[in-house]
């Protein structure tokens, strides 16, 4: 079971890399959905081993809301040309992004190995992978100019935080999940509203169009 | 009513107000807001009075918790919110009369306004640290659409930057909270109640490495929300683009809510991680914030951004006060939470009157305020002197206590540096308001006419009176509250 969990955690990191280098909004949303479904799957795998009912609820909630509902809402909000558009302008190029991403993953793994961690249901390397997912998600938000991709980066980082929650304490994980679901659902609604306003105001979701405020 | 009942009521009232606002007619919004926000203010005052008697209220299995430390922030949030409601009434009526906004937009404004107040008050009564994080995040989600209220290019840019940066900060803070939980596993077991009283009881047994890492992440995460440099870049944009009553709430109250998150984790982690380590972090972020703010204060041409950078400076100073750690500096920092909150709120109300009258936030475009708006001129000059730290206003007493605390703790260089930074920021803060008020100008037409309505002046006059009184004589209940709060932080 430990092997299955380690494999799922590694796949979550790979899905986050997919999101980091996605060239289309469509690809980034799919990357986020895949990451969320894998995270839900990990919680369910942990339930199978521990029989803690919280973990089943958490897994199903994650798959339902983050794996399907949120991607569907974001797809609906950015349907049309934006959804299919291939992004050609970004702050950090893809080869550089991959290199930085690899470096950040290493930082996550090293940082986790230095912390005096008390293993509960998941092992220490999973904590490293979770920190790497957070760093990659935040880096995606900084590296991309498109508002939808920036949103996807934040959502991916938030999944990384939930993974840390699962490592630290499954019971706390449920509390954190409820807080995050609330935050994510409302956050997606507010950010979705602002993205729609961007469409109206600058006819684009490219945040580099929003650069009048300085000093 | 019982103490737990009061705790529930203080957040239930603004939440119910938001729900009623959602369905009630746009014309009733202002009256509804006044009734509910005055009620909320009354309940908050009753709670603070109870805290002075009982010390703390711990209810619903530690989910809700109020002590002297959070009562200080509750006092500021409640005063700023109720006065911002009155000021909003005058401000929005003016905007409606001049067709800047439509009647229907009042509903959106007040629903979000009530939710914003709800979230800020929830921060002050959260006993569970997960709930505290949720409430701090909720303040962003409720206020971001208010930053974009005017719906043009610049407010949208400000709102986007605000939400992206503060949500990123919130995620780091949550990671910090999870590590804080892990730091207690060795002494409290794998599954324990993640609340302030439980962690406080085991504070000296937390893992030092995890506790200090958790504090650092929370300092960066909530520090982003509190406007500490270098994570402050969203703040001047958001605070300059929102409607003036919302700017008053963002600068006067919301920043303090994020600071409360930092204070809480500081008190919980200091016994294990070592107060000296944590204080160094507070001092570094505080001094960087003050230095960055002074540079931008000097070169500022927009008076709302000027006030926003002043907030970065003051949050930095609060951080320095906590970083110094001795009782004199701590009481100064906590008093600054109150006096900065009141004074900054007053300044956003006064400059809001300028925005309504002159339709500009650019300093060189505004002249002759003393003739066009004499009462607003009094508020501007009084408020500018107060926020810059001139005696006899409350901010002066707060800043003096922090510097005195530095010298009392033998931090001679640090004390001198803080004093120098405050002096450097004084003229850039006061001079623009002096110029706008007293310079001769072509004040023909509408600008030469009288003041705006009394309701746009009275809330600011109340605040000016309050910061003047606090500067001369700190009322005994406030003094007692501050001393108790400082004791909570040094326990």
């Amino acid at each position: 079971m430990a092997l299955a969990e380690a494999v799922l955690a590694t796949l979550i990191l790979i899905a986050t890399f997919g999101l980091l280098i996605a060239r289309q909004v469509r690809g980034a949303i799919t990357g986020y959905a895949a990451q969320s479904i894998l995270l839900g799957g990990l919680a369910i795998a942990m339930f199978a081993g521990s029989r803690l009912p919280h973990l089943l609820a958490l897994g199903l909630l994650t798959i339902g809301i983050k794996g399907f509902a949120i991607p569907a809402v974001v797809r609906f909000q950015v349907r049309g040309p934006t959804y299919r558009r291939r992004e050609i302008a970004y702050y950090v190029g893809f080869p550089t992004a991959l290199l930085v991403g690899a470096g950040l993953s290493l930082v996550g793994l090293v940082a986790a190995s230095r912390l005096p961690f008390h293993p509960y249901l998941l092992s220490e390397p999973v904590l490293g992978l979770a920190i790497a997912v957070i760093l990659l998600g935040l880096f995606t938000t900084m590296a991309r100019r498109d508002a939808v991709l920036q949103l996807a980066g934040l959502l991916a980082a938030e999944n990384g935080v939930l993974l840390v929650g699962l490592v630290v304490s499954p019971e706390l994980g449920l509390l954190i999940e409820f807080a995050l679901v609330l935050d994510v659902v409302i956050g997606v609604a507010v950010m979705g509203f602002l993205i729609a306003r961007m469409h109206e105001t600058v006819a684009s979701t490219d945040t580099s169009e929003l650069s009048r405020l300085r000093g | 009513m019982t103490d737990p009942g009061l705790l529930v009521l203080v957040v239930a009232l603004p939440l119910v107000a938001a729900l009623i606002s959602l369905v009630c007619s746009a014309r009733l919004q202002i009256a509804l807001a006044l009734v509910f926000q005055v009620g909320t203010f009354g309940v908050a005052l009753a709670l603070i009075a109870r805290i002075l008697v009982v010390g703390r209220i711990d209810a619903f299995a530690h989910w809700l918790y109020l002590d002297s430390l959070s009562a200080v922030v509750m006092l500021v949030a409640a005063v700023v919110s109720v006065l911002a409601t009155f000021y909003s009434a005058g401000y929005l009526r003016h905007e409606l009369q001049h067709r800047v906004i439509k009647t229907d937009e009042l509903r959106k404004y007040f629903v979000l306004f009530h939710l914003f107040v709800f979230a800020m008050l929830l921060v002050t009564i959260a006993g569970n640290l997960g709930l505290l994080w949720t409430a701090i995040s909720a303040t962003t989600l409720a206020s971001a659409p208010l930053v974009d209220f005017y719906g043009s290019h610049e407010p949208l840019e400000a709102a986007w930057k605000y939400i992206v940066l503060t949500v990123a900060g919130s995620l780091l803070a949550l990671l910090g909270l999870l590590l804080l939980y892990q730091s207690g596993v060795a002494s409290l077991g794998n599954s324990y109640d993640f609340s302030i009283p439980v962690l406080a009881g085991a504070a000296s047994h937390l893992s030092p490495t995890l506790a200090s890492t958790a504090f650092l992440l929370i300092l960066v995460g909530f520090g982003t929300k509190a406007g500490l440099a270098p994570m402050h870049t969203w703040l001047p944009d958001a605070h300059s683009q929102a409607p003036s009553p919302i700017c008053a709430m963002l600068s006067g109250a919301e920043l303090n809510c994020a600071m409360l998150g930092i204070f809480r984790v500081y008190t919980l982690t200091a016994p294990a991680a070592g107060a000296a380590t944590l204080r160094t972090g507070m001092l570094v972020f505080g001094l960087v914030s003050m230095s960055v703010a002074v540079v931008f204060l000097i070169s500022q041409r927009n008076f709302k951004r000027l006030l926003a950078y002043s907030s970065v400076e003051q949050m930095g100073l609060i951080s320095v006060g906590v970083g110094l750690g001795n009782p004199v500096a701590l009481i100064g920092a906590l008093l600054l939470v109150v006096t900065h909150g009141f004074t900054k709120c007053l300044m956003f109300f006064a400059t809001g009157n300028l925005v309504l009258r002159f339709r500009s936030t650019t300093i060189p475009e505004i002249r002759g305020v003393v003739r066009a708006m004499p009462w607003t001129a009094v508020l501007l000059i009084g408020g500018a002197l107060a926020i810059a730290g001139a005696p006899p206003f409350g901010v002066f007493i707060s800043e003096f206590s922090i510097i005195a605390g530095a010298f009392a703790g033998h931090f001679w260089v640090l004390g001198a540096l803080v004093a120098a930074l405050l002096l450097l920021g004084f003229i850039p803060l006061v001079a623009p308001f002096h110029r706008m008020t007293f310079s001769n100008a072509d004040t023909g037409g509408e600008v030469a006419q009288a003041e705006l309505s009394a309701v746009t002046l009275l809330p600011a006059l109340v605040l000016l009176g309050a910061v003047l009184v606090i500067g001369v004589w700190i009322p005994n209940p406030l003094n007692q509250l501050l001393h108790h709060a400082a004791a909570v932080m040094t326990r």
Side-chain angles (χ1 to χ4, degrees):
Chain A
M1 191 52 69
L3 180 66
E5 286 154 0
V7 168
L8 280 169
T10 310
L11 287 174
I12 290 170
L13 181 68
I14 292 170
T16 317
F17 264 103
L19 194 152
L20 172 66
I21 57 165
R23 287 175 185 256
Q24 284 174 301
V25 168
R26 178 167 48 186
I29 296 173
T30 306
Y32 170 67
Q35 190 207 37
S36 303
I37 291 167
L38 287 165
L39 183 61
L42 176 62
I44 292 170
M46 288 170 70
F47 163 74
S50 66
R51 295 288 154 192
L52 285 170
H54 310 85
L55 290 168
L56 182 62
L58 199 149
L60 294 174
L61 205 62
T62 304
I63 292 173
I65 293 178
K66 296 180 183 170
F68 292 100
I70 288 175
V73 169
V74 178
R75 274 189 200 108
F76 177 76
Q77 280 174 325
V78 296
R79 64 193 178 279
T82 304
Y83 184 56
R84 291 187 297 275
R85 195 186 64 233
R86 195 175 178 84
E87 196 188 32
I88 49 167
Y90 24 76
Y91 294 123
V92 181
F94 290 106
T96 315
L98 266 179
L99 272 176
V100 174
L104 289 174
S105 304
L106 202 62
V107 167
L109 288 165
V110 171
S113 70
R114 298 258 170 116
L115 292 172
F117 171 69
H118 296 269
Y120 185 24
L121 295 180
L122 291 172
S123 56
E124 183 193 286
V126 179
L127 180 66
L129 292 172
I131 294 174
V133 168
I134 297 170
L135 295 175
L136 280 178
L138 293 177
F139 177 60
T140 304
T141 303
M142 288 192 297
R144 310 306 291 263
R145 280 169 43 169
D146 192 284
V148 183
L149 295 175
Q150 290 182 352
L151 170 62
L154 284 177
L155 292 172
E158 175 269 329
N159 272 347
V161 175
L162 178 59
L163 186 51
V164 174
L166 282 176
V167 174
V168 167
S169 167
E171 283 85 351
L172 184 69
L174 187 71
L175 165 72
I176 296 297
E177 175 64 351
F178 277 123
L180 281 175
V181 163
L182 191 73
D183 188 61
V184 164
V185 169
I186 300 170
V188 166
V190 173
M191 293 176 94
F193 165 76
L194 291 176
I195 289 170
R197 287 257 305 105
M198 252 180 239
H199 254 303
E200 288 168 22
T201 311
V202 293
S204 160
T205 52
D206 185 346
T207 53
S208 66
E209 299 283 333
L210 301 173
S211 56
R212 289 189 191 169
L213 297 170
R214 288 178 193 280
Chain B
M1 184 175 269
T2 59
D3 291 343
L6 285 173
L7 283 180
V8 172
L9 194 60
V10 81
V11 286
L13 281 173
L15 191 60
V16 169
L19 293 173
I20 297 176
S21 277
L22 203 58
V23 293
C24 96
S25 134
R27 278 171 294 179
L28 292 175
Q29 294 289 339
I30 290 176
L32 180 82
L34 288 171
V35 168
F36 272 88
Q37 290 300 335
V38 169
T40 306
F41 175 68
V43 177
L45 282 191
L47 275 169
I48 294 163
R50 285 293 297 152
I51 287 300
L52 286 171
V53 178
V54 298
R56 65 178 188 169
I57 303 169
D58 186 352
F60 304 107
H62 310 310
W63 277 90
L64 301 184
Y65 181 84
L66 184 71
D67 62 8
S68 307
L69 181 59
S70 43
V72 172
V73 178
M74 177 183 270
L75 173 69
V76 182
V79 170
V80 168
S81 299
V82 75
L83 291 174
T85 312
F86 280 96
Y87 185 75
S88 293
Y91 186 93
L92 294 173
R93 278 201 184 111
H94 189 278
E95 295 290 65
L96 283 171
Q97 281 164 7
H98 290 77
R99 297 175 194 279
V100 177
I101 59 169
K102 296 179 189 136
T103 313
D104 285 349
E105 289 177 285
L106 288 180
R107 180 178 291 114
K108 174 187 163 190
Y109 180 92
F110 279 110
V111 168
L112 292 166
F113 183 98
H114 296 310
L115 288 175
F116 189 21
V117 176
F118 160 75
M120 287 195 294
L121 291 173
L122 188 59
V123 172
T124 65
I125 63 164
N128 182 289
L129 290 164
L131 183 64
L132 177 76
W133 178 84
T134 308
I136 291 178
S137 299
T139 61
T140 302
L141 299 177
S143 57
L146 284 169
V147 171
D148 183 45
F149 182 67
Y150 284 122
S152 56
H153 188 290
E154 287 85 355
L156 174 63
E157 181 182 341
W160 184 255
K161 203 185 276 185
Y162 172 42
I163 200 161
V164 168
L165 284 171
T166 54
V167 166
S170 287
L171 290 175
L172 287 179
L174 186 56
L175 177 60
L177 286 178
L178 289 169
L179 293 185
L180 177 62
Y181 184 92
Q182 176 71 198
S183 74
V185 164
S187 54
L188 294 164
N190 271 318
S191 177
Y192 67 89
D193 186 358
F194 193 38
S195 64
I196 294 163
V198 169
L199 270 172
S204 51
H205 304 294
L206 303 181
S207 153
T209 310
L210 282 169
S212 52
T213 310
F215 176 75
L216 188 66
L217 283 166
I218 284 157
L219 181 58
V220 173
F222 287 153
T224 305
K225 178 86 175 155
L228 292 178
M231 303 85 69
H232 69 287
T233 51
W234 63 271
L235 191 149
D237 294 347
H239 290 208
S240 64
Q241 296 303 317
S244 293
I246 302 305
C247 296
M249 291 169 72
L250 288 169
S251 236
E254 192 206 24
L255 298 181
N256 293 328
C257 291
M259 270 293 178
L260 178 62
I262 296 173
F263 294 168
R264 280 291 183 215
V265 178
Y266 170 84
T267 57
L268 295 174
T269 52
T277 314
L278 309 191
R279 283 176 195 161
T280 307
M282 297 291 284
L283 286 174
V284 168
F285 275 102
L287 285 173
V288 169
S289 302
M290 292 186 73
S291 309
V292 168
V294 166
V295 171
F296 283 94
L297 283 175
I298 291 168
S299 58
Q300 209 44 249
R301 285 166 53 87
N302 178 310
F303 57 75
K304 286 179 88 174
R305 293 181 79 84
L306 185 81
L307 293 176
Y309 278 111
S310 154
S311 295
V312 175
E313 184 195 37
Q314 299 290 315
M315 288 300 120
L317 186 56
I318 291 170
S319 186
V320 168
V322 175
L324 286 166
N326 60 49
V328 179
L330 268 180
I331 288 173
L334 291 166
L335 182 61
L336 191 56
V337 166
V338 178
T339 55
H340 168 258
F342 287 0
T343 315
K344 196 50 64 64
C345 182
L346 141 70
M347 283 306 282
F348 274 113
F349 289 167
T351 52
N353 291 354
L354 295 185
V355 175
L356 291 178
R357 180 63 82 195
F358 293 86
R359 291 284 159 210
S360 172
T361 54
T362 309
I363 294 162
E365 288 176 6
I366 296 173
R367 291 287 180 268
V369 177
V370 73
R371 273 183 289 169
M373 310 167 80
W375 281 104
T376 297
V378 170
L379 293 170
L380 275 183
I381 293 300
L385 287 169
I387 202 68
F393 297 99
V395 173
F396 169 74
I397 301 293
S398 323
E399 293 177 351
F400 186 81
S401 297
I402 293 170
I403 294 168
F407 291 142
H410 305 293
F411 293 100
W412 306 105
V413 176
L414 184 72
L417 186 60
V418 168
L421 286 169
L422 288 173
L423 281 173
L424 274 174
F426 188 90
I427 297 292
L429 261 174
V430 176
F433 293 104
H434 180 270
R435 263 201 309 279
M436 288 191 290
T437 306
F438 295 113
S439 294
N440 289 326
D442 172 18
T443 51
E446 189 193 15
V447 171
Q449 292 170 15
E451 278 287 359
L452 302 171
S453 66
V455 79
T456 60
L457 293 170
L458 281 174
L461 281 169
V462 168
L463 288 166
L464 185 63
V467 292
L468 189 57
V469 167
I470 293 173
V472 178
W473 163 76
I474 300 175
N476 194 41
L478 177 60
N479 199 23
Q480 210 182 326
L481 191 67
L482 293 171
H483 279 82
H484 291 174
V488 169
M489 291 194 73
T490 48
R491 213 165 27 209

